[in-house]
Amino acid sequence: MISFNEPIYVEKGLDYITDAIVKNRRLNGDGPFTAMCTKWFTEKLNSKVLLTTSCTHALEMGAILSEISPGDEVIMPSFTFVSTADAFVLRGAKVKFVDIRKDTMNIDEALIEQAITEKTRAIVPVHYAGVSCEMDEIMALAKKYNLYVIEDAAQGMMSTYKGKALGTIGDFGAYSFHETKNYTMGEGGLCIINNEKYVERAEIIREKGTDRAKFFRGEIDKYSWVDVGSSYLPSEMNAAYLMPQLEIAEEINNKRLKLWDIYYKELKSLEEEGQIELPFIPNYCEHNAHMFYIKAKDLEERSALIEYLMNNGIKAVFHYVPLHSAKAGEKYGEFVGEDKNTTKESERLLRLPMFYGLKEEQAEYISSKVREFYKR
Ligand SMILES: *Cc1c(COP(=O)(O)O)cnc(C)c1O
């Protein structure tokens, strides 16, 4: 059976965890491995970053820093993971869902303005599959209406928009290091803060509402409770698992891109025959091969294809149930305008196995089985 996902494991992963336990004797947050990861991201992204317990928590930090309050409205796509909405609903916001573009499955930037009201506080673009949203237009709208932009770049590490790393364009950005993502620490994330004026408060929120970070830097002689907050710092063991992946980040990215290119090349003929659709990468985007998806004709054909692949030892999956049609989505959100693409396109989408340990021959084999399905 070819799994849909296997968490990435690189050499040194275990050595670094052992170092955290045996050599450093430091298991709680913000020890040497967290510092190494933080340094790596700071240099890579040229922004202030804080390692977190998840992307969900990084988004929650973004929501607190944006001072989202009960009654505020936040605009996002409905085709996304629950956390995108949850982080803002927790602060009492109402979610306004906007339709996606058919080509990238990202929020349709042309439909955002009609969803803005005097209660709107923020736009949350989700860079689906590590392919960027049209950020220039989103940032222009945010400026015009004085809104925050919190980028859900959970899938976007190593991707860029017009040369800028995803997550560094809006006010705040969030990465995920969940085991299904390109780089992982089991559960974990990164909060990216792109405006210096929010950095101090971000540190406080992450440390249970205390000014402990300042204390450790020797800037104050004792720390205390100064603001709201939670516990958003990950254990050193998790950071130790992530660090060796960062050391070979380019190599990991290239390997994934190679697998992605194999799928694309092997399935191109099916697209030309009009049987399926392949992912679209706009030229303003450099992507990270977070996933490889295809679009079948409809829900029925997709189900048949999943079953066919399963019978051939291949696990393919789909996602997401659009949030506006989920129970909590109906309660906390509302779809603005017409749902032209969200439901229809989400029902056609199928994800093929994609992970660092997948072999090139396996990607070729999987592609051949997809072709075989359509030849029957
Ligand atoms: C994975 C993912 C998340 C959640 O990440 P966690 O680290 O598991 O909290 C949020 N948004 C999107 C788009 C994701 O793909």
Side-chain angles (χ1 to χ4, degrees), residues 54-56 80-81 83-84 126 152 154-155 176 178 181 188 320:
S54 65
C55 175
T56 306
T80 182
F81 188 59
S83 302
T84 320
V126 179
D152 183 338
Q155 306 173 8
S176 173
H178 183 262
K181 303 302 199 284
Y320 306 104

Side-chain angles (χ1 to χ4, degrees), residues 45-323:
L45 303 175
N46 207 12
S47 280
K48 174 70 187 182
V49 300
L50 292 168
L51 208 60
T52 60
T53 27
S54 65
C55 175
T56 306
H57 284 164
L59 290 168
E60 284 180 20
M61 287 179 64
I64 298 171
L65 289 165
S66 305
E67 294 186 57
I68 303 296
S69 321
D72 289 347
E73 293 176 1
V74 176
I75 295 171
M76 65 182 65
S78 170
F79 182 71
T80 182
F81 188 59
V82 293
S83 302
T84 320
D86 251 337
F88 295 88
V89 168
L90 268 178
R91 309 247 66 77
K94 171 147 201 199
V95 180
K96 294 293 189 110
F97 296 113
V98 167
D99 207 11
I100 50 169
R101 291 165 48 151
K102 188 171 182 286
D103 59 356
T104 56
M105 304 297 281
N106 282 332
I107 192 166
D108 188 338
E109 65 280 358
L111 298 175
I112 294 174
E113 193 161 16
Q114 45 124 24
I116 296 174
T117 72
E118 64 278 19
K119 290 182 180 163
T120 309
R121 291 283 298 184
I123 305 172
V124 189
V126 179
H127 303 293
Y128 182 69
V131 175
S132 67
C133 298
E134 182 39 286
M135 290 307 291
D136 279 351
E137 298 197 21
I138 292 170
M139 294 311 290
L141 279 174
K143 193 160 176 220
K144 183 171 165 193
Y145 293 96
N146 197 24
L147 308 174
Y148 283 98
V149 173
I150 300 104
E151 296 177 71
D152 183 338
Q155 306 173 8
M157 179 175 155
M158 304 299 275
S159 291
T160 60
Y161 170 78
K162 297 186 180 174
K164 287 198 78 177
L166 301 191
T168 67
I169 303 159
D171 298 282
F172 310 107
Y175 284 175
S176 173
F177 307 125
H178 183 262
E179 75 162 43
T180 51
K181 303 302 199 284
N182 295 21
Y183 304 85
T184 189
M185 50 200 271
E187 303 275 359
L190 190 77
C191 184
I192 307 165
I193 302 121
N194 299 315
N195 184 333
E196 193 61 37
K197 80 174 188 204
Y198 297 103
V199 170
E200 189 178 323
R201 183 149 195 244
E203 288 178 341
I204 290 168
I205 290 166
R206 178 170 169 270
E207 266 281 20
K208 301 109 186 154
T210 71
D211 49 5
R212 203 165 167 200
K214 266 180 143 175
F215 170 72
F216 280 122
R217 283 196 298 266
E219 292 164 29
I220 44 176
D221 59 11
K222 63 175 187 307
Y223 72 89
S224 64
W225 186 25
V226 293
D227 200 340
V228 295
S230 190
S231 185
Y232 291 137
L233 62 167
S235 146
E236 272 287 285
M237 288 183 284
N238 298 52
Y241 190 84
L242 178 66
M243 190 58 219
Q245 295 164 46
L246 303 182
E247 289 168 355
I248 58 161
E250 286 292 339
E251 194 181 314
I252 292 168
N253 200 45
N254 290 337
K255 165 87 194 283
R256 295 187 74 108
L257 285 166
K258 192 148 188 210
L259 292 167
W260 197 97
D261 289 342
I262 289 172
Y263 276 133
Y264 196 87
K265 190 171 125 264
E266 295 285 324
L267 296 171
K268 188 76 191 148
S269 60
L270 281 184
E271 185 176 53
E272 283 160 4
E273 291 163 17
Q275 303 267 30
I276 62 168
E277 276 169 43
L278 296 178
F280 169 70
I281 313 292
N283 50 26
Y284 51 68
C285 173
E286 247 184 278
H287 75 114
N288 61 358
H290 171 61
M291 71 172 85
F292 195 91
Y293 68 80
I294 62 173
K295 286 193 204 163
K297 185 161 68 36
D298 52 24
L299 182 62
E300 201 186 342
E301 187 181 276
R302 180 180 73 179
S303 304
L305 178 53
I306 289 175
E307 198 189 326
Y308 187 80
L309 293 173
M310 184 62 103
N311 292 337
N312 283 283
I314 299 159
K315 181 96 179 98
V317 305
F318 64 85
H319 71 172
Y320 306 104
V321 174
L323 297 185

